[in-house]
Amino acid sequence: MVLGDFSCRILLNLCGYVWPAYQCFKAIEQGQNDAVRDWCIYWFMLALFTTAERLLDIFAWWLPMYYTAKVAFVIYLWHPKTQGAISLYTHTVQPLLRQNEALIDQHFEGGKAWAFDALASNFKWLVSSLQSKATMAIVQLQQLKVIQSLLLLCKF
């Protein structure tokens, strides 16, 4: 079966989010700590896939059965027989992250500082801009009241 973008999105939402979310709920409610850990790994790997998918969609959309392969990959990630998320995490992602954890943390800290500075400066600009616009609106309203008063005077 060949899937298009629309049907792929529906299946990805059902197979990649709805079903795993329900299974995660069941694991949490039943106190299955190992299953909860496995589902956390799945969600982590799905987040990586979703991020990569945005780039892949730009370059690989034309490949035959591309959308079908995306759905199959998401099912591979959570399916009990393949446990793809756990396998990929354990053999690829976890060692890579452990090896580069300090560097990644350093970049995140730098990114947080940059984002905070950008937010702070933009917030100041936003407040200043809003104050300016509010002042202009008040002046215009006052001018409108003066014009209305003059019009009322002219009627009499």
Side-chain angles (χ1 to χ4, degrees):
M1 174 166 119
V2 177
L3 298 175
D5 185 39
F6 180 72
S7 54
C8 174
R9 284 281 143 218
I10 292 171
L11 282 173
L12 279 176
N13 284 332
L14 292 173
C15 296
Y17 295 95
V18 175
W19 175 254
Y22 180 66
Q23 294 302 312
C24 191
F25 160 77
K26 286 174 51 173
I28 292 168
E29 291 301 311
Q30 295 170 3
Q32 300 171 345
N33 292 336
D34 289 341
V36 171
R37 182 185 183 278
D38 292 348
W39 283 114
C40 283
I41 291 172
Y42 167 79
W43 292 115
F44 179 78
M45 295 305 296
L46 185 69
L48 292 179
F49 167 73
T50 302
T51 303
E53 177 190 24
R54 301 299 179 244
L55 293 172
L56 280 172
D57 284 350
I58 295 170
F59 300 108
W61 61 269
W62 57 272
L63 290 172
M65 300 196 54
Y66 170 67
Y67 297 107
T68 306
K70 286 181 4 177
V71 173
F73 180 73
V74 168
I75 293 171
Y76 159 78
L77 287 177
W78 62 255
H79 198 278
K81 288 187 179 180
T82 60
Q83 294 187 330
I86 295 168
S87 178
L88 286 173
Y89 177 79
T90 304
H91 300 304
T92 307
V93 176
Q94 185 181 34
L96 186 66
L97 290 177
R98 280 187 176 162
Q99 183 180 5
N100 297 295
E101 187 173 2
L103 182 63
I104 294 168
D105 287 343
Q106 181 182 0
H107 283 291
F108 271 119
E109 287 303 316
K112 285 190 319 191
W114 175 84
F116 180 76
D117 290 344
L119 274 172
S121 70
N122 284 327
F123 183 74
K124 290 175 186 174
W125 174 85
L126 177 65
V127 169
S128 173
S129 178
L130 287 174
Q131 286 174 338
S132 173
K133 298 288 183 189
T135 303
M136 288 174 48
I138 290 169
V139 168
Q140 288 178 347
L141 284 173
Q142 289 173 342
Q143 290 173 348
L144 183 62
K145 283 184 180 182
V146 168
I147 291 171
Q148 286 176 341
S149 298
L150 288 173
L151 287 174
L152 286 174
L153 286 174
C154 290
K155 285 185 180 180
F156 293 112

